Amino acid sequence: MKVTPTGLPEVLLLEPRVFGDARGFFLESYNARSFRELSGLDVQFVQDNHSRSARGVLRGLHYQLHQAQGKLVRVVRGSVFDVAVDLRRSSPRFGRWVGVELSEDNHRQLWVPPGFGHGFLVLSETADFLYKTTDYYAPEHERCIAWNDPDIGIDWPLQAAPVLSAKDAQGSRLADAEAYEDPSPSR
């Protein structure tokens, strides 16, 4: 597995070794020892989630103010544009974002640490999105930043207006949102 820091150094791009032939392919999607050695992170995942979304669905930007979740995300069907935003007020990169394409073809994964908002836009007809989290889902602590906040300025590869949930359509502006006061543990 290859691990590369992104434009936000705490957010890591993981590229597993893929062994393929005429029958298909094999890859190791997660190995705790390899992840720890290559990322320098010692995390414990407690929950796995799976979502399926149609083309144009935009989910996010989500985070939990308490019980902050680190997320290891990947796509097993289709493709998405995946985004992480630094929401740590004391970070010199507060409000900055990074985006990468994750797909069933490139097998990439993204590590989104606690203290970062997360969202994605479905680029394919449908996408199955899997993520491992370091803490449990806590709806009472979930928050949402507006996907189109001009202060963040995410360059979403939109072909039309995105399909949003009611919650995501009412996301807060970063300037008004509850954000993390202390930097989360990172590398």
Side-chain angles (χ1 to χ4, degrees):
M1 178 183 309
K2 179 181 174 186
V3 177
T4 308
T6 64
L8 298 175
E10 300 88 350
V11 177
L12 304 174
L13 183 64
L14 289 79
E15 298 174 90
R17 291 186 60 199
V18 180
F19 303 92
D21 60 27
R23 301 168 298 159
F25 71 87
F26 171 85
L27 66 86
E28 188 173 77
S29 62
Y30 179 73
N31 177 301
R33 180 178 42 227
S34 295
F35 183 80
R36 185 176 53 253
E37 289 172 359
L38 295 171
S39 70
L41 299 169
D42 189 15
V43 299
Q44 179 182 358
F45 293 107
V46 299
Q47 184 175 322
D48 282 2
N49 301 316
H50 183 156
S51 71
R52 176 173 292 153
S53 303
R55 181 186 305 278
V57 167
L58 194 154
R59 295 184 185 265
L61 301 162
H62 300 153
Y63 64 105
Q64 287 184 182
L65 194 57
H66 303 287
Q67 291 180 237
Q69 296 176 308
K71 298 176 181 177
L72 182 60
V73 300
R74 67 190 182 108
V75 171
V76 295
R77 177 180 177 197
S79 64
V80 306
F81 182 69
D82 198 68
V83 172
V85 178
D86 191 341
L87 299 179
R88 303 166 301 160
R89 286 209 189 275
S90 59
S91 168
R93 294 176 291 280
F94 176 70
R96 287 190 41 206
W97 66 277
V98 65
V100 298
E101 185 175 341
L102 304 178
S103 74
E104 68 182 293
D105 295 326
N106 69 24
H107 306 287
R108 293 172 163 178
Q109 299 178 46
L110 196 66
W111 164 249
V112 181
F116 287 72
H118 175 255
F120 65 90
L121 170 68
V122 178
L123 305 174
S124 53
E125 197 61 34
T126 61
D128 281 8
F129 191 85
L130 304 178
Y131 48 111
K132 304 174 96 44
T133 65
T134 60
D135 209 333
Y136 299 100
Y137 175 62
E140 68 275 18
H141 300 305
E142 185 177 36
R143 303 292 186 270
C144 181
I145 301 287
W147 65 274
N148 59 350
D149 185 332
D151 292 335
I152 300 172
I154 298 170
D155 187 16
W156 297 100
L158 291 165
Q159 302 300 314
V163 179
L164 303 169
S165 70
K167 172 181 69 176
D168 292 348
Q170 297 174 6
S172 300
R173 295 274 310 261
L174 181 61
D176 302 323
E178 295 176 88
Y180 300 97
E181 295 302 326
D182 297 317
S184 62
S186 57
R187 293 170 58 103

